[in-house]
mmCIF file of all heavy atoms in Angstrom:
data_model
loop_
_atom_site.group_PDB
_atom_site.id
_atom_site.type_symbol
_atom_site.label_atom_id
_atom_site.label_comp_id
_atom_site.label_asym_id
_atom_site.label_seq_id
_atom_site.Cartn_x
_atom_site.Cartn_y
_atom_site.Cartn_z
ATOM 1 N N GLU A 1 82.965 86.986 108.346
ATOM 2 C CA GLU A 1 83.311 87.459 109.681
ATOM 3 C C GLU A 1 82.648 86.523 110.693
ATOM 4 O O GLU A 1 81.441 86.156 110.623
ATOM 5 C CB GLU A 1 82.749 88.891 109.822
ATOM 6 C CG GLU A 1 83.010 89.535 111.138
ATOM 7 C CD GLU A 1 82.525 90.936 111.313
ATOM 8 O OE1 GLU A 1 82.100 91.543 110.158
ATOM 9 O OE2 GLU A 1 82.529 91.490 112.378
ATOM 10 N N VAL A 2 83.381 86.248 111.801
ATOM 11 C CA VAL A 2 82.853 85.395 112.852
ATOM 12 C C VAL A 2 82.036 86.268 113.719
ATOM 13 O O VAL A 2 82.600 87.275 114.438
ATOM 14 C CB VAL A 2 83.953 84.698 113.576
ATOM 15 C CG1 VAL A 2 83.493 83.928 114.750
ATOM 16 C CG2 VAL A 2 84.775 83.768 112.682
ATOM 17 N N GLN A 3 80.816 85.927 113.908
ATOM 18 C CA GLN A 3 79.862 86.827 114.762
ATOM 19 C C GLN A 3 78.595 86.048 115.079
ATOM 20 O O GLN A 3 78.189 85.158 114.495
ATOM 21 C CB GLN A 3 79.640 88.208 114.084
ATOM 22 C CG GLN A 3 78.903 88.018 112.816
ATOM 23 C CD GLN A 3 78.519 89.374 112.180
ATOM 24 O OE1 GLN A 3 77.888 90.206 112.980
ATOM 25 N NE2 GLN A 3 78.885 89.609 110.945
ATOM 26 N N LEU A 4 77.900 86.549 116.175
ATOM 27 C CA LEU A 4 76.701 86.189 116.503
ATOM 28 C C LEU A 4 75.755 87.368 116.422
ATOM 29 O O LEU A 4 76.175 88.472 116.887
ATOM 30 C CB LEU A 4 76.592 85.598 117.908
ATOM 31 C CG LEU A 4 77.382 84.290 118.081
ATOM 32 C CD1 LEU A 4 77.537 84.037 119.556
ATOM 33 C CD2 LEU A 4 76.607 83.141 117.501
ATOM 34 N N GLN A 5 74.510 87.196 115.922
ATOM 35 C CA GLN A 5 73.605 88.257 115.849
ATOM 36 C C GLN A 5 72.220 87.905 116.459
ATOM 37 O O GLN A 5 71.616 86.893 115.845
ATOM 38 C CB GLN A 5 73.397 88.791 114.351
ATOM 39 C CG GLN A 5 74.614 89.481 113.823
ATOM 40 C CD GLN A 5 74.441 90.052 112.448
ATOM 41 O OE1 GLN A 5 73.436 89.716 111.782
ATOM 42 N NE2 GLN A 5 75.315 90.905 112.019
ATOM 43 N N ALA A 6 71.746 88.566 117.344
ATOM 44 C CA ALA A 6 70.410 88.301 117.962
ATOM 45 C C ALA A 6 69.455 89.261 117.283
ATOM 46 O O ALA A 6 69.694 90.387 116.981
ATOM 47 C CB ALA A 6 70.458 88.560 119.467
ATOM 48 N N SER A 7 68.263 88.719 117.277
ATOM 49 C CA SER A 7 67.106 89.458 116.684
ATOM 50 C C SER A 7 65.775 88.968 117.271
ATOM 51 O O SER A 7 65.772 88.000 117.962
ATOM 52 C CB SER A 7 67.086 89.359 115.046
ATOM 53 O OG SER A 7 66.830 88.037 114.756
ATOM 54 N N GLY A 8 64.713 89.738 116.959
ATOM 55 C CA GLY A 8 63.363 89.357 117.391
ATOM 56 C C GLY A 8 62.844 90.004 118.517
ATOM 57 O O GLY A 8 61.723 89.784 118.954
ATOM 58 N N GLY A 9 63.690 90.953 119.131
ATOM 59 C CA GLY A 9 63.106 91.747 120.250
ATOM 60 C C GLY A 9 62.089 92.785 119.800
ATOM 61 O O GLY A 9 61.855 93.038 118.563
ATOM 62 N N GLY A 10 61.563 93.396 120.811
ATOM 63 C CA GLY A 10 60.651 94.508 120.498
ATOM 64 C C GLY A 10 59.684 94.798 121.731
ATOM 65 O O GLY A 10 60.049 94.334 122.808
ATOM 66 N N LEU A 11 58.663 95.388 121.491
ATOM 67 C CA LEU A 11 57.692 95.778 122.583
ATOM 68 C C LEU A 11 56.595 94.663 122.668
ATOM 69 O O LEU A 11 56.002 94.259 121.613
ATOM 70 C CB LEU A 11 57.060 97.046 122.295
ATOM 71 C CG LEU A 11 55.942 97.552 123.281
ATOM 72 C CD1 LEU A 11 56.587 97.759 124.598
ATOM 73 C CD2 LEU A 11 55.278 98.835 122.744
ATOM 74 N N VAL A 12 56.343 94.108 123.888
ATOM 75 C CA VAL A 12 55.390 93.071 124.042
ATOM 76 C C VAL A 12 54.757 93.374 125.367
ATOM 77 O O VAL A 12 55.252 93.943 126.306
ATOM 78 C CB VAL A 12 56.003 91.761 124.122
ATOM 79 C CG1 VAL A 12 57.031 91.583 125.229
ATOM 80 C CG2 VAL A 12 55.002 90.663 124.136
ATOM 81 N N GLN A 13 53.412 93.104 125.363
ATOM 82 C CA GLN A 13 52.637 93.380 126.551
ATOM 83 C C GLN A 13 52.852 92.310 127.624
ATOM 84 O O GLN A 13 53.309 91.169 127.401
ATOM 85 C CB GLN A 13 51.101 93.283 126.207
ATOM 86 C CG GLN A 13 50.685 94.407 125.277
ATOM 87 C CD GLN A 13 49.146 94.543 125.012
ATOM 88 O OE1 GLN A 13 48.402 94.146 126.018
ATOM 89 N NE2 GLN A 13 48.721 94.874 123.938
ATOM 90 N N PRO A 14 52.680 92.659 128.869
ATOM 91 C CA PRO A 14 52.706 91.659 129.913
ATOM 92 C C PRO A 14 51.975 90.391 129.596
ATOM 93 O O PRO A 14 50.749 90.592 129.087
ATOM 94 C CB PRO A 14 52.262 92.354 131.146
ATOM 95 C CG PRO A 14 52.567 93.845 130.876
ATOM 96 C CD PRO A 14 52.377 94.044 129.426
ATOM 97 N N ARG A 15 52.407 89.286 130.052
ATOM 98 C CA ARG A 15 51.729 87.890 129.760
ATOM 99 C C ARG A 15 51.865 87.497 128.271
ATOM 100 O O ARG A 15 51.432 86.385 127.891
ATOM 101 C CB ARG A 15 50.228 87.947 130.098
ATOM 102 C CG ARG A 15 49.977 88.343 131.555
ATOM 103 C CD ARG A 15 48.542 88.453 131.889
ATOM 104 N NE ARG A 15 47.821 89.458 131.070
ATOM 105 C CZ ARG A 15 47.971 90.758 131.211
ATOM 106 N NH1 ARG A 15 48.612 91.252 132.203
ATOM 107 N NH2 ARG A 15 47.268 91.595 130.361
ATOM 108 N N GLY A 16 52.499 88.336 127.517
ATOM 109 C CA GLY A 16 52.730 88.147 126.066
ATOM 110 C C GLY A 16 53.902 87.113 125.921
ATOM 111 O O GLY A 16 54.585 86.683 126.772
ATOM 112 N N SER A 17 54.060 86.782 124.644
ATOM 113 C CA SER A 17 55.138 85.851 124.253
ATOM 114 C C SER A 17 55.996 86.422 123.184
ATOM 115 O O SER A 17 55.527 87.316 122.391
ATOM 116 C CB SER A 17 54.591 84.562 123.746
ATOM 117 O OG SER A 17 53.842 83.790 124.734
ATOM 118 N N LEU A 18 57.203 85.961 123.065
ATOM 119 C CA LEU A 18 58.231 86.384 122.004
ATOM 120 C C LEU A 18 59.190 85.391 121.814
ATOM 121 O O LEU A 18 59.635 84.606 122.699
ATOM 122 C CB LEU A 18 58.828 87.669 122.568
ATOM 123 C CG LEU A 18 59.455 88.648 121.575
ATOM 124 C CD1 LEU A 18 58.351 89.287 120.734
ATOM 125 C CD2 LEU A 18 60.155 89.827 122.362
ATOM 126 N N ARG A 19 59.729 85.256 120.630
ATOM 127 C CA ARG A 19 60.752 84.390 120.208
ATOM 128 C C ARG A 19 61.873 85.158 119.686
ATOM 129 O O ARG A 19 61.854 85.835 118.740
ATOM 130 C CB ARG A 19 60.313 83.271 119.234
ATOM 131 C CG ARG A 19 61.407 82.205 118.956
ATOM 132 C CD ARG A 19 60.959 81.183 117.936
ATOM 133 N NE ARG A 19 61.121 81.700 116.597
ATOM 134 C CZ ARG A 19 61.143 80.874 115.428
ATOM 135 N NH1 ARG A 19 61.063 79.635 115.601
ATOM 136 N NH2 ARG A 19 61.152 81.466 114.122
ATOM 137 N N LEU A 20 63.045 84.888 120.315
ATOM 138 C CA LEU A 20 64.316 85.590 119.870
ATOM 139 C C LEU A 20 65.143 84.608 119.032
ATOM 140 O O LEU A 20 65.077 83.382 119.290
ATOM 141 C CB LEU A 20 65.077 86.058 121.114
ATOM 142 C CG LEU A 20 64.462 86.941 122.097
ATOM 143 C CD1 LEU A 20 65.407 87.331 123.210
ATOM 144 C CD2 LEU A 20 63.846 88.087 121.344
ATOM 145 N N SER A 21 65.882 85.063 118.126
ATOM 146 C CA SER A 21 66.813 84.184 117.301
ATOM 147 C C SER A 21 68.205 84.707 117.420
ATOM 148 O O SER A 21 68.452 85.899 117.622
ATOM 149 C CB SER A 21 66.293 84.352 115.886
ATOM 150 O OG SER A 21 65.025 83.738 115.675
ATOM 151 N N CYS A 22 69.049 83.794 117.383
ATOM 152 C CA CYS A 22 70.542 84.132 117.370
ATOM 153 C C CYS A 22 71.127 83.384 116.124
ATOM 154 O O CYS A 22 71.005 82.140 116.035
ATOM 155 C CB CYS A 22 71.188 83.720 118.580
ATOM 156 S SG CYS A 22 72.940 83.836 118.659
ATOM 157 N N ALA A 23 71.617 84.139 115.196
ATOM 158 C CA ALA A 23 72.282 83.505 113.984
ATOM 159 C C ALA A 23 73.745 83.581 114.088
ATOM 160 O O ALA A 23 74.364 84.546 114.473
ATOM 161 C CB ALA A 23 71.819 84.292 112.826
ATOM 162 N N ALA A 24 74.438 82.475 113.805
ATOM 163 C CA ALA A 24 75.928 82.431 113.723
ATOM 164 C C ALA A 24 76.424 82.612 112.348
ATOM 165 O O ALA A 24 75.886 82.079 111.340
ATOM 166 C CB ALA A 24 76.276 81.073 114.290
ATOM 167 N N TYR A 25 77.502 83.281 112.245
ATOM 168 C CA TYR A 25 78.075 83.564 110.939
ATOM 169 C C TYR A 25 79.528 83.267 111.070
ATOM 170 O O TYR A 25 80.221 83.633 112.032
ATOM 171 C CB TYR A 25 77.930 85.070 110.522
ATOM 172 C CG TYR A 25 76.546 85.435 110.339
ATOM 173 C CD1 TYR A 25 75.792 85.946 111.354
ATOM 174 C CD2 TYR A 25 75.856 85.297 108.979
ATOM 175 C CE1 TYR A 25 74.434 86.319 111.052
ATOM 176 C CE2 TYR A 25 74.565 85.541 108.875
ATOM 177 C CZ TYR A 25 73.786 86.177 109.872
ATOM 178 O OH TYR A 25 72.476 86.520 109.641
ATOM 179 N N GLY A 26 80.080 82.635 110.006
ATOM 180 C CA GLY A 26 81.497 82.520 109.991
ATOM 181 C C GLY A 26 82.100 81.228 110.681
ATOM 182 O O GLY A 26 83.336 81.060 110.698
ATOM 183 N N PHE A 27 81.251 80.430 111.339
ATOM 184 C CA PHE A 27 81.605 79.279 112.117
ATOM 185 C C PHE A 27 80.494 78.336 112.230
ATOM 186 O O PHE A 27 79.405 78.674 112.020
ATOM 187 C CB PHE A 27 82.225 79.670 113.420
ATOM 188 C CG PHE A 27 81.243 80.157 114.407
ATOM 189 C CD1 PHE A 27 80.714 79.346 115.341
ATOM 190 C CD2 PHE A 27 80.811 81.463 114.359
ATOM 191 C CE1 PHE A 27 79.762 79.760 116.246
ATOM 192 C CE2 PHE A 27 79.917 81.960 115.328
ATOM 193 C CZ PHE A 27 79.270 81.090 116.256
ATOM 194 N N SER A 28 80.811 77.130 112.541
ATOM 195 C CA SER A 28 79.916 76.063 112.777
ATOM 196 C C SER A 28 79.401 76.066 114.173
ATOM 197 O O SER A 28 80.250 76.179 115.107
ATOM 198 C CB SER A 28 80.348 74.717 112.388
ATOM 199 O OG SER A 28 79.377 73.647 112.751
ATOM 200 N N LEU A 29 78.133 75.782 114.504
ATOM 201 C CA LEU A 29 77.673 75.659 115.850
ATOM 202 C C LEU A 29 77.887 74.216 116.482
ATOM 203 O O LEU A 29 77.667 74.120 117.699
ATOM 204 C CB LEU A 29 76.156 75.889 115.918
ATOM 205 C CG LEU A 29 75.660 77.464 115.823
ATOM 206 C CD1 LEU A 29 74.175 77.483 115.816
ATOM 207 C CD2 LEU A 29 76.206 78.248 116.857
ATOM 208 N N ASN A 30 78.365 73.376 115.694
ATOM 209 C CA ASN A 30 78.404 71.998 116.104
ATOM 210 C C ASN A 30 79.195 71.649 117.412
ATOM 211 O O ASN A 30 78.865 70.691 118.097
ATOM 212 C CB ASN A 30 78.919 71.033 114.944
ATOM 213 C CG ASN A 30 78.013 71.010 113.793
ATOM 214 O OD1 ASN A 30 76.801 71.274 113.888
ATOM 215 N ND2 ASN A 30 78.511 70.566 112.635
ATOM 216 N N ASN A 31 80.223 72.428 117.551
ATOM 217 C CA ASN A 31 81.161 72.214 118.787
ATOM 218 C C ASN A 31 80.989 73.260 119.898
ATOM 219 O O ASN A 31 81.866 73.396 120.677
ATOM 220 C CB ASN A 31 82.535 72.085 118.298
ATOM 221 C CG ASN A 31 82.816 70.979 117.287
ATOM 222 O OD1 ASN A 31 83.116 71.217 116.186
ATOM 223 N ND2 ASN A 31 82.623 69.855 117.702
ATOM 224 N N TYR A 32 79.767 73.928 119.864
ATOM 225 C CA TYR A 32 79.709 74.972 120.860
ATOM 226 C C TYR A 32 78.317 74.832 121.724
ATOM 227 O O TYR A 32 77.335 74.628 121.066
ATOM 228 C CB TYR A 32 79.675 76.342 120.181
ATOM 229 C CG TYR A 32 81.020 76.720 119.598
ATOM 230 C CD1 TYR A 32 81.264 76.500 118.188
ATOM 231 C CD2 TYR A 32 82.008 77.344 120.362
ATOM 232 C CE1 TYR A 32 82.507 76.935 117.766
ATOM 233 C CE2 TYR A 32 83.244 77.592 119.885
ATOM 234 C CZ TYR A 32 83.506 77.457 118.611
ATOM 235 O OH TYR A 32 84.758 77.768 117.986
ATOM 236 N N ASP A 33 78.568 74.923 123.032
ATOM 237 C CA ASP A 33 77.363 75.173 123.725
ATOM 238 C C ASP A 33 77.013 76.619 123.629
ATOM 239 O O ASP A 33 77.809 77.474 123.190
ATOM 240 C CB ASP A 33 77.739 74.975 125.261
ATOM 241 C CG ASP A 33 78.388 73.607 125.558
ATOM 242 O OD1 ASP A 33 77.960 72.616 124.923
ATOM 243 O OD2 ASP A 33 79.073 73.526 126.512
ATOM 244 N N MET A 34 75.737 76.947 123.861
ATOM 245 C CA MET A 34 75.211 78.274 123.709
ATOM 246 C C MET A 34 74.401 78.659 124.875
ATOM 247 O O MET A 34 73.678 77.876 125.473
ATOM 248 C CB MET A 34 74.329 78.396 122.446
ATOM 249 C CG MET A 34 75.085 78.076 121.157
ATOM 250 S SD MET A 34 76.420 79.240 120.723
ATOM 251 C CE MET A 34 75.367 80.684 120.334
ATOM 252 N N SER A 35 74.438 79.962 125.176
ATOM 253 C CA SER A 35 73.589 80.515 126.252
ATOM 254 C C SER A 35 72.951 81.794 125.849
ATOM 255 O O SER A 35 73.563 82.500 124.926
ATOM 256 C CB SER A 35 74.407 80.735 127.546
ATOM 257 O OG SER A 35 74.559 79.577 128.345
#
């Protein structure tokens, strides 16, 4: 299935840091800009 799935969110304190991930399924990222 062609889809994008974001993960990594949650509760974080002010001034804190977090890293989000976006995984692609069913297609190649090579020819796509991403936002």
